[in-house]
């Protein structure tokens, strides 16, 4: 503006001096928009910065770059403060109508975030987190298996190098050796376990009828007893697998195998449901015509609310294994046990909603009872298992999922919470969505017959996975990803981070759906997200409140969530403000942190601040003068001595004599006592491997039922932790009901009987067994109902039909005629 005025004055003077006519019109000049102002001065910082840009020209729009390019009107339009977590130069331009474009303002912020604390070794996966890997997409550690002779021409060399020009449905070359070569990257990030995509031998051809897709993902198994040639070697040996397990364990990293027990491979494509047993062809779908078929031969599931369809129909065209066929039962369990013998630390079971639920009780039981030896050796602790039940809490079968998990002992992936995490961090939904979901899962519901999950800390939590668009494809920017990471790693449950999120990996093709969420890892470097994960891994490892404690909401609005994890005097208070521009004053916040001042645990790497807690020592102390910066995460921590506390029992359902790992803290250095109690009977367990946070106990010979477990050290006894004692090994048994009365649509048939596994004559929905499944109308197939029961070594009374009856759950319990029973060997 000043420049323009001076030019005008100079022109007037020139006119006078030259004796001109005096009629000349001063030239019209366009003023220039003011140069944008950056709220933070250029310089070096040790904390995350948030840079606001303003401009004094009325109505000016601001455009900016962070990549060194000169900003233009095509650059990003400024709307909310820019979070700066890594060294960045911001260049900004103001554009306003009636003005020429402003000069460019520029500032470089050098960010030196402090290194995270060392991550202490942990004894139990709850104290760490799992990292999910799609093996084919992670790292090509062995190029000799890229194009194996058994299954040639399924490989696309562009996968990792030029994803824009790659076929996302072919193999890209990642393998078990590749994971092994990147273990130091995983270890330095604090990864405590890896969940690898199914490594078993998959179909060897392109499933052309299914969009030309290979089994790079591992879910189209042909032989559960072998390792796939793309991930291992061309003899389908276990060499690469064993090498990975050995190396991972040496780095303190557990290995969890994804096991798809529901099905083998596509019926109408590829190898048409071929099933092999260690190289020997057993059947294909079309030749499966024996008296005891290996597969169900039903249509695709069309109604996921139907108990029968989900368990007995076909999932997405995949040959649906009949786990009640004794051969299939034995084959799948042998395959699981073979992985245990090769040192795996647990399993992620695929599609547990769609597998026969009763059989899965017996699967959990088989793993709980497994006492074989492993080579390579497993990590300390009994196998941790978790399954995929892909539903939300509004779905019809949600109550079944809770009941299934509570009584079978199969932990579940927390899909219900997932949907809310994706909404909140991906699309900006309200924190109430998360809070309400946690309340429902952890405390149950009065409006639906859903119990609470008895062990919320055993739910396996995640915000991204291989089946849904990454949250960056749903709208999250890097800061939102880090907020999601902060939440996940401090929430109750065992967290799973999906590979590549720490590198901000995403691809928006088709909205980032499968396969575009199965990106090739292109970088294994340090990022601000990696640093954040290191901080949070250190916190999880150091403070048992995060691994095992309660989770309580302390303050909430749409954009702010403050919650507390607590175990005794260990308290971790987490505050997230995801509002893009508004700092939030917090009043009425209380905490069980003791009075004092607390700094931000991640040292302001997420823009956090310190707090002062006043009041008197004890619980519910006020936090005063708190204003949470926009887009920040603050974590305040206190650690204390804890008396014996049980955080987890793995497995949490087992038979007398089975080894169970009891995890927690405060157990003391020398062996104390572990007691199991059912009713008025308390028995001490034989224990081994005693340390302050972990011991192994052998379930004493109690009559089956709901038990409690305590740990006692120096006369101090822990709170009681829930456990379920089974009668003995569970075997799958099929039986059919030949005639039932007409049922109303709301009626269900339940099963009850004289042992705990059969409900101890309970006639409530949550107490009895079931609902038993009813074939959909019009199905050509006989009912193939299923239940579980104790194995009887002889014709002992528990196996006679006189010990059970079939009842309908209603106020007037009407016994039905005893079912005709068909028991397979
Ligand atoms: C669920 C898995 O997560 C998914 O990726 C797979 O395609 C289906 N199950 C079928 O196995």
């Amino acid at each position: 503006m000043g420049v323009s005025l001076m030019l005008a004055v100079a022109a007037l003077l020139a006119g006078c001096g030259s004796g001109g006519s005096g009629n000349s019109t001063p030239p019209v000049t366009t003023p220039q928009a003011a140069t944008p102002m950056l709220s933070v001065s250029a310089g070096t910082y040790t904390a995350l910065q948030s840079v606001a840009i303003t401009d004094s020209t009325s109505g000016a729009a601001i455009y900016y770059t962070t990549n060194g390019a000169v900003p233009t009107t095509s650059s990003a339009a400024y709307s909310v403060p820019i979070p700066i977590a890594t060294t960045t130069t911001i260049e900004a331009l103001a554009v306003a109508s009636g003005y020429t474009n402003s000069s460019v303002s520029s500032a470089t912020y050098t960010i030196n975030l402090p290194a995270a604390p060392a991550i202490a070794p942990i004894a139990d996966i709850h104290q760490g987190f799992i990292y999910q890997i799609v093996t084919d997409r992670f790292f090509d550690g062995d190029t000799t298996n890229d194009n194996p002779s058994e299954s040639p021409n399924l490989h696309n060399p562009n996968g990792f190098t030029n994803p824009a020009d790659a076929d996302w449905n072919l193999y890209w070359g990642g393998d078990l050796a590749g994971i092994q070569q990147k273990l130091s990257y995983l270890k330095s990030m604090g990864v405590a376990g890896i969940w690898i995509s199914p490594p078993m031998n998959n179909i060897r051809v392109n499933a052309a009828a299914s969009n030309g897709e290979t089994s790079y993902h591992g879910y189209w198994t042909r032989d559960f007893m072998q390792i796939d040639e793309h991930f291992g070697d061309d003899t389908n040996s276990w060499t690469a697998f064993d090498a990975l397990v050995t190396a991972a364990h040496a780095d303190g990293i557990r290995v969890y195998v994804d096991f798809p027990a529901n099905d083998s491979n596509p019926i109408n494509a590829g190898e048409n449901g071929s099933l092999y047993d260690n190289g020997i062809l057993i059947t294909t779908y079309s030749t499966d015509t024996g008296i005891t078929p290996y597969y169900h031969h039903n249509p695709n599931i069309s109604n996921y609310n139907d108990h029968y369809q989900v368990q007995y129909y076909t999932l997405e065209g995949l040959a649906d294994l009949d786990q009640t066929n004794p051969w299939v039962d034995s084959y799948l369990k042998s395959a699981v046990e073979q992985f245990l013998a090769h040192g795996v630390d647990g399993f992620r079971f695929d599609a547990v909603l769609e597998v026969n639920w009763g059989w899965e009780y017996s699967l959990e039981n088989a793993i709980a009872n497994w006492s074989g030896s492993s080579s390579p050796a497993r990590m300390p602790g009994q196998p941790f298992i978790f399954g995929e039940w892909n539903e939300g809490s509004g779905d019809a079968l949600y109550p079944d999922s809770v009941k299934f998990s509570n009584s079978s002992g199969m932990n579940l992936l927390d899909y219900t919470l997932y949907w809310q995490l994706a909404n909140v961090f991906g699309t900006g939904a309200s924190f109430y969505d998360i809070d309400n979901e946690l309340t429902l899962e952890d405390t149950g519901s009065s409006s639906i017959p859903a119990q609470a999950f008895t062990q919320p800390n055993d739910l396996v939590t995640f915000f991204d996975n291989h089946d849904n668009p990454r949250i960056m494809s749903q709208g999250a920017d890097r800061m939102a990803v880090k907020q999601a990471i902060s939440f996940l790693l401090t929430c109750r449950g065992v967290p799973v981070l999906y590979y590549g999120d720490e590198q901000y990996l995403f691809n928006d093709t088709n909205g980032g759906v499968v396969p575009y969420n199965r990106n090739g890892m292109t970088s294994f470097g340090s990022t601000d997200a990696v640093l954040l994960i290191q901080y949070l891994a250190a916190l999880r490892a150091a403070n048992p409140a995060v691994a095992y404690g309660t989770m309580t909401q302390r303050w909430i609005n749409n954009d702010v969530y403050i919650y507390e994890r607590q175990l005794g005097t260990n308290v971790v208070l987490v505050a997230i403000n995801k509002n893009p521009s508004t700092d939030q004053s917090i009043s009425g916040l209380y905490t069980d942190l003791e009075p004092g001042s607390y700094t931000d645990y991640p040292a302001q790497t997420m823009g956090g601040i310190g707090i002062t807690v006043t009041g008197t020592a004890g619980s519910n102390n006020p936090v005063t003068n708190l204003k949470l910066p926009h887009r920040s995460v603050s974590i305040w921590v206190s650690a204390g001595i804890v008396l014996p506390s049980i955080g987890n029992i793995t497995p949490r359902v087992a038979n007398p004599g089975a080894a169970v790992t009891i995890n927690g803290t405060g157990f003391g250095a020398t062996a104390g006592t572990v007691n199991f109690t059912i009713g008025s009977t308390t028995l001490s367990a034989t224990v081994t491997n005693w340390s302050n946070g972990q011991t192994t106990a052998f379930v004493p010979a109690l009559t089956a039922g709901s038990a409690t477990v305590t740990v006692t050290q120096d006369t101090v006894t822990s709170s009681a932790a829930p456990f379920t004692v089974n009668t003995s090994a569970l075997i799958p048994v099929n039986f059919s009901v030949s005639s039932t009365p007409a049922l109303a649509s709301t009626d269900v048939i339940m099963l009850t009987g004289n042992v705990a596994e059969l409900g101890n004559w309970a006639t409530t929905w949550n107490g009895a067994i079931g609902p038993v499944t009813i074939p959909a109308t019009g199905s050509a197939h006989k009912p193939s109902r299923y239940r579980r029961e104790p194995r009887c070594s002889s014709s002992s009374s528990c196996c006679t039909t006189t010990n059970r009856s079939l009842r309908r759950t209603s106020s007037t319990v009407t016994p039905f005629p005893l079912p005709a029973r068909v028991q397979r060997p």
Side-chain angles (χ1 to χ4, degrees):
M1 187 65 112
V3 174
S4 302
L5 276 175
M6 283 178 61
L7 287 175
V9 170
L12 278 174
L13 289 174
C16 291
S18 66
S21 69
N23 294 330
S24 62
T25 307
V28 176
T29 56
T30 307
Q32 186 180 28
T35 305
M37 301 285 294
L38 305 183
S39 66
V40 180
S41 306
T44 298
Y45 295 89
T46 57
L48 177 140
Q49 301 298 308
S50 177
V51 179
I53 313 178
T54 52
D55 197 89
S56 60
T57 304
S58 171
I62 299 170
Y63 298 89
Y64 72 97
T65 62
T66 55
N67 61 1
V70 176
T72 67
T73 50
S74 303
S75 303
Y78 174 82
S79 60
V80 293
I82 306 163
I84 304 294
T86 54
T87 297
T88 303
T89 298
I90 294 182
E91 298 192 61
L93 171 76
V95 177
S97 173
Y99 294 81
T100 61
N101 291 353
S102 75
S103 302
V104 169
S105 54
S106 172
T108 295
Y109 305 98
T110 302
I111 306 289
N112 293 329
L113 299 176
I119 302 166
I122 60 168
D124 167 36
I125 192 63
H126 292 71
Q127 299 168 297
F129 71 92
I130 297 172
Y131 184 86
Q132 181 194 353
I133 296 174
V134 177
T135 301
D136 179 63
R137 303 294 154 96
F138 195 62
F139 189 65
D140 188 355
D142 177 3
T143 54
T144 67
N145 61 16
D146 286 354
N147 192 22
S149 57
E150 297 90 339
S151 45
N153 306 321
L154 303 179
H155 175 243
N156 183 315
N158 287 344
F160 287 108
T161 51
N162 184 10
D165 193 27
D167 185 331
W168 287 64
N169 285 321
L170 295 182
Y171 284 91
W172 287 5
D175 46 30
L176 298 169
I179 299 174
Q180 186 180 339
Q181 287 169 31
K182 293 301 177 188
L183 284 173
S184 58
Y185 167 76
L186 300 176
K187 182 181 181 187
S188 73
M189 197 159 49
V191 169
I194 49 175
W195 149 16
I196 59 172
S197 51
M200 44 288 270
N201 193 357
N202 274 254
I203 61 169
R204 294 180 161 175
V205 292
N206 197 322
S210 184
N211 297 329
E213 182 178 346
T214 67
S215 192
Y216 72 91
H217 42 68
Y219 290 103
W220 293 348
T221 318
R222 73 203 292 271
D223 194 333
F224 286 81
M225 307 304 286
Q226 298 182 337
I227 299 298
D228 193 88
E229 59 271 15
H230 292 92
F231 306 139
D233 61 50
D234 60 5
T235 64
N236 300 106
S237 83
W238 288 76
T239 306
F241 187 88
D242 290 345
L244 170 62
V245 171
T246 304
H249 288 179
D251 280 335
I253 296 176
R254 294 144 190 81
V255 178
Y256 302 96
V257 163
D258 199 326
F259 194 102
N262 181 63
D263 42 66
S264 58
N265 53 73
I267 293 168
N268 293 316
E271 295 192 22
N272 308 98
S274 59
L275 182 66
Y276 292 79
D277 181 8
N278 207 8
I280 298 167
L281 180 65
I282 302 299
T283 192
T284 67
Y285 192 79
S286 62
T287 57
D288 178 37
T289 54
I291 196 164
T292 311
Y294 299 94
Y295 292 121
H296 297 125
H297 292 263
N298 290 325
N300 270 332
I301 301 167
S302 57
N303 179 3
Y304 280 85
N305 295 337
D306 183 308
H307 287 89
Y308 187 80
Q309 283 201 23
V310 293
Q311 295 178 69
Y312 293 93
Y313 275 31
T314 297
L315 174 63
E316 297 169 355
L318 300 171
D320 197 59
L321 289 161
D322 181 357
Q323 295 87 9
T324 68
N325 173 319
W327 186 90
V328 174
D329 169 43
S330 160
Y331 171 73
L332 290 173
K333 286 174 183 163
S334 299
V336 161
E337 288 172 358
Q338 183 169 229
F339 276 107
L340 290 172
H342 281 270
V344 306
D345 304 284
F347 298 92
R348 178 267 189 187
F349 285 109
D350 186 47
V352 300
L353 164 65
E354 289 89 0
V355 178
N356 186 306
W357 302 349
W359 180 77
E360 291 174 307
Y361 277 77
S362 74
L363 174 66
E364 187 278 347
N365 190 253
I367 295 170
N369 279 336
W370 189 79
S371 57
S373 58
S374 304
S375 176
R378 288 187 292 119
M379 296 279 285
Q382 293 303 107
F384 181 74
I385 63 173
F386 54 104
E388 176 207 29
W389 189 296
N390 184 349
E391 287 200 320
S393 56
D395 287 313
L397 302 187
Y398 170 72
D400 294 271
S401 75
V402 184
K403 180 178 174 181
F404 168 78
S405 180
N406 284 348
S407 19
S408 71
M410 171 89 71
N411 304 309
L412 293 185
L413 279 157
D414 199 345
Y415 242 112
T416 301
L417 183 63
Y418 159 75
W419 299 113
Q420 308 309 333
L421 300 187
N423 286 343
V424 170
F425 296 110
T427 66
S430 166
F431 270 130
Y432 282 105
D433 294 350
I434 291 178
D435 195 55
N436 291 339
E437 201 67 53
L438 288 170
T439 301
L440 175 68
E441 291 185 54
D442 298 0
T443 65
S445 161
S446 54
S447 59
I448 54 174
Q451 310 163 81
F453 281 101
T454 51
Q455 292 293 303
N457 276 321
D458 287 345
L459 287 162
V460 177
T461 51
F462 60 102
F463 65 81
D464 267 342
N465 72 3
H466 62 302
D467 285 333
N468 297 282
R470 292 178 188 261
I471 59 171
M472 289 196 83
S473 288
Q474 300 184 40
D477 63 8
R478 292 181 171 208
M479 190 64 185
V481 170
K482 289 192 294 177
Q483 288 165 352
I485 290 171
S486 303
F487 177 80
L488 188 77
L489 292 186
T490 54
C491 177
R492 61 95 174 109
V494 176
V496 175
L497 275 180
Y498 187 44
Y499 80 99
D501 277 347
E502 78 280 11
Q503 299 290 337
Y504 303 115
L505 209 54
F506 71 108
N507 182 301
D508 280 344
T509 309
N510 292 348
V513 298
V514 173
Y516 300 102
N517 56 356
R518 298 165 181 184
N519 318 70
M521 277 290 275
T522 46
S523 161
F524 293 86
S526 178
T527 67
D528 53 312
V530 169
L531 177 68
L532 174 66
I533 293 166
Q534 290 168 334
Y535 267 103
L536 297 171
L539 175 61
R540 282 193 79 88
N543 197 303
V546 189
Y548 304 122
T550 54
M551 179 154 175
T552 310
Q553 182 245 101
R554 286 293 197 172
W555 205 99
I556 189 168
N557 69 17
N558 288 338
D559 285 335
V560 173
Y561 197 25
I562 306 179
Y563 52 93
E564 191 156 83
R565 306 298 313 281
Q566 184 169 20
L567 185 73
T569 51
N570 291 279
V571 180
V572 175
L573 186 63
V574 182
I576 304 176
N577 179 3
K578 69 180 175 66
N579 190 289
S581 53
T582 306
D583 299 348
Q584 177 70 52
S585 294
I586 308 289
S587 60
L589 174 64
Y590 293 87
T591 175
D592 282 357
L593 288 167
E594 298 212 343
S597 293
Y598 296 84
T599 56
D600 176 41
Y601 182 89
Q604 298 172 270
T605 57
M606 287 292 288
I609 55 173
I611 52 166
T612 301
V613 177
T614 59
T616 53
S619 59
N620 263 359
N621 296 310
V623 179
T624 51
N625 297 324
L626 176 58
K627 191 170 195 181
L628 285 179
H630 60 277
R631 304 212 92 185
S632 67
V633 177
S634 305
I635 303 177
W636 307 291
V637 174
S638 82
I641 304 293
V642 174
L643 299 173
S645 301
I646 298 176
N648 159 268
I649 304 179
T650 298
R652 53 188 165 79
V653 179
N655 303 340
V660 296
T661 308
I662 301 176
N663 298 298
T665 188
F667 295 177
T670 54
T673 308
V674 174
N675 285 337
F676 284 69
T677 301
I678 294 184
S680 57
T681 307
T682 295
L683 295 178
S684 288
T686 303
V687 295
T688 180
N689 300 329
W690 190 283
S691 69
N692 189 51
Q694 188 175 72
T695 185
T696 301
F698 296 92
V699 180
L702 285 160
T703 304
S706 290
T708 54
V709 179
T710 56
V711 170
T712 302
Q713 179 61 265
D714 287 338
T715 72
V716 183
T717 298
S718 71
S719 300
F723 187 81
T724 301
V725 179
N726 277 335
T727 305
S728 60
L730 301 181
I731 56 166
V733 177
N734 239 7
F735 72 96
S736 300
V737 179
S738 53
S739 63
T740 58
L743 298 175
S745 61
T746 51
D747 282 345
V748 292
I749 296 176
M750 308 293 287
L751 179 73
T752 190
N754 70 329
V755 289
E757 289 88 336
L758 295 176
N760 276 335
W761 298 121
T763 54
T764 59
W765 194 91
N766 282 322
I769 302 305
V772 298
T773 54
I774 313 288
T777 310
S779 165
H781 295 272
K782 285 196 298 186
S784 181
R785 300 190 188 121
Y786 186 78
R787 68 175 176 81
R788 64 205 164 90
E789 70 171 12
R791 184 203 300 275
C792 302
S793 51
S794 62
S795 57
S796 59
S797 61
C798 70
C799 280
T800 66
T801 52
T802 54
N803 285 333
R804 66 181 75 87
S805 70
L806 196 64
R807 301 183 184 193
R808 186 167 19 178
T809 50
S810 72
S811 50
T812 55
V813 176
T814 312
F816 290 117
L818 288 173
R821 178 160 153 269
V822 180
Q823 181 167 350
R824 291 190 174 146

